[in-house]
Amino acid sequence: MLTNLKSLTFMFISFIAILSTFIYNFTPSAKYNIFSEDFETGEISKKCSGNCPLISTEYANSGQYSMKVHLDRNKSKVSYRTEIQEKSKATYGVDYWYEFSVYLPESYVADNIWEIVAQWHAVPDFNIGEDWRNPILSLHTTNGTWEILSFWDSKKNTFASGKREYSGSKVWSLGNYEINQWITWKFHVRWSHLEDGIIEVWKDGKKVLSHQGPNSFNDSIGPYFKIGLYKGWMEKEKTSKITQRTLYFDDITITKPL
């Protein structure tokens, strides 16, 4: 009887060990939800940058509502920017997942002036003489194509020479953009100004970019996320084919491991 009990106990312990290994190896890592917005409350819940976007029922990736972004170069109070931003700042060396869906309507014709539809902005160390710089990572729809831009700097002060100078930058061209359909983007980023930085990007579930190396500035505070439209109309010397821009966003999430 005692032998049988020991045998059953051993089998139970072995089963638990095998089950634990299975769960560890095959269950996706738990993630902490930093930000999630599907706009189904009918309101914009985040801080606006420039003009505030609107809630719309014209198009939706899920549910009934989406965020409508509209700029009129001649009539908008801020002619070049309409975004929302997440107030929390990322931590360097931590893996973050950013996901969102974007819809470009038929009116979204190609234009030669640059435009950013999602960006990650660094916070300058003003106390040592830094000022605002290019986004460290951004998704563009410039001139009819999808582009991703990355800037990085290993120096503690990007303005140490008296002017803005980066350690490096890179542009990835991802082909012509699509209109009249929802496109879902997923970014996996480990922010770092060192070689352990990671940028991975999926477009509608297909991996389109994989990069390892520096991807941020050497700042005291980590970057934050902005989404909407930032259009280069403030550069008055540049000509544009259009005076209005409208697009839509839905199902925005930011997560990181627990």
Side-chain angles (χ1 to χ4, degrees), residues 15 39 44-45 56 67 88 92 95 130-131 133 158 174-175 183 190-191 194-196 201 209 227 245:
F15 173 76
F39 306 104
I44 298 292
S45 62
S56 173
M67 182 177 78
S88 65
Y92 295 113
D95 291 67
E130 283 192 323
D131 205 341
R133 300 147 294 181
T158 302
L174 302 179
I183 303 296
R190 183 187 302 156
W191 300 110
L194 303 173
E195 291 300 322
D196 61 340
V201 182
L209 191 158
I227 191 166
R245 247 327 180 220

Side-chain angles (χ1 to χ4, degrees), residues 2-236:
L2 183 59
T3 301
N4 290 339
L5 183 59
K6 288 181 178 179
S7 178
L8 287 172
T9 302
F10 176 80
M11 290 174 62
F12 178 76
I13 293 173
S14 299
F15 173 76
I16 293 299
I18 294 171
L19 181 62
S20 298
T21 301
F22 178 86
I23 292 173
Y24 178 81
N25 289 324
F26 295 98
T27 301
S29 299
K31 291 186 174 67
Y32 169 67
N33 191 6
I34 299 172
F35 170 52
S36 180
E37 182 59 87
D38 58 11
F39 306 104
E40 293 304 299
T41 63
E43 297 179 350
I44 298 292
S45 62
K46 290 297 174 182
K47 178 182 177 181
C48 298
S49 179
N51 306 303
C52 272
L54 305 171
I55 297 296
S56 173
T57 57
E58 295 170 90
Y59 305 97
N61 185 54
S62 65
Q64 294 181 297
Y65 300 97
S66 67
M67 182 177 78
K68 181 178 181 178
V69 172
H70 177 76
L71 275 183
D72 187 309
R73 188 175 190 178
N74 301 316
K75 297 180 180 179
S76 294
K77 185 176 181 180
V78 179
S79 64
Y80 56 87
R81 187 195 295 276
T82 172
E83 300 169 298
I84 59 172
Q85 69 183 56
E86 168 55 26
K87 65 179 181 179
S88 65
K89 309 300 190 294
T91 301
Y92 295 113
V94 174
D95 291 67
Y96 287 84
W97 296 83
Y98 306 85
E99 187 168 349
F100 55 88
S101 296
V102 57
Y103 185 96
L104 309 180
E106 193 167 354
S107 62
Y108 206 91
V109 297
D111 188 56
N112 63 308
I113 289 185
W114 59 267
E115 51 208 5
I116 299 173
V117 299
Q119 60 174 300
W120 291 260
H121 226 296
V123 180
D125 289 318
F126 295 107
N127 61 312
I128 60 172
E130 283 192 323
D131 205 341
W132 292 103
R133 300 147 294 181
N134 294 79
I136 53 176
L137 184 64
S138 52
L139 175 65
H140 296 235
T141 55
T142 306
N143 208 24
T145 64
W146 294 112
E147 286 185 345
I148 294 175
L149 276 67
S150 173
F151 290 86
W152 62 90
D153 189 18
S154 60
K155 300 187 303 297
K156 187 58 184 172
N157 187 348
T158 302
F159 291 79
S161 67
K163 61 181 181 179
R164 183 175 59 188
E165 290 184 337
Y166 303 124
S167 296
S169 64
K170 191 167 180 62
V171 180
W172 293 274
S173 182
L174 302 179
N176 294 337
Y177 63 55
E178 302 82 1
I179 59 171
N180 296 331
Q181 66 182 88
W182 283 99
I183 303 296
T184 297
W185 292 92
K186 181 184 287 187
F187 287 72
H188 167 218
V189 187
R190 183 187 302 156
W191 300 110
S192 177
H193 66 277
L194 303 173
E195 291 300 322
D196 61 340
I198 291 175
I199 301 175
E200 294 181 305
V201 182
W202 289 260
K203 177 187 174 189
D204 282 343
K206 180 182 179 181
K207 197 171 191 178
V208 294
L209 191 158
S210 183
H211 173 74
Q212 183 159 358
N215 58 29
S216 70
F217 302 143
N218 187 3
D219 294 329
S220 299
I221 301 174
Y224 60 95
F225 180 59
K226 302 177 73 175
I227 191 166
L229 181 63
Y230 183 35
K231 177 74 171 164
W233 282 332
M234 79 291 289
E235 300 179 22
K236 302 295 184 182

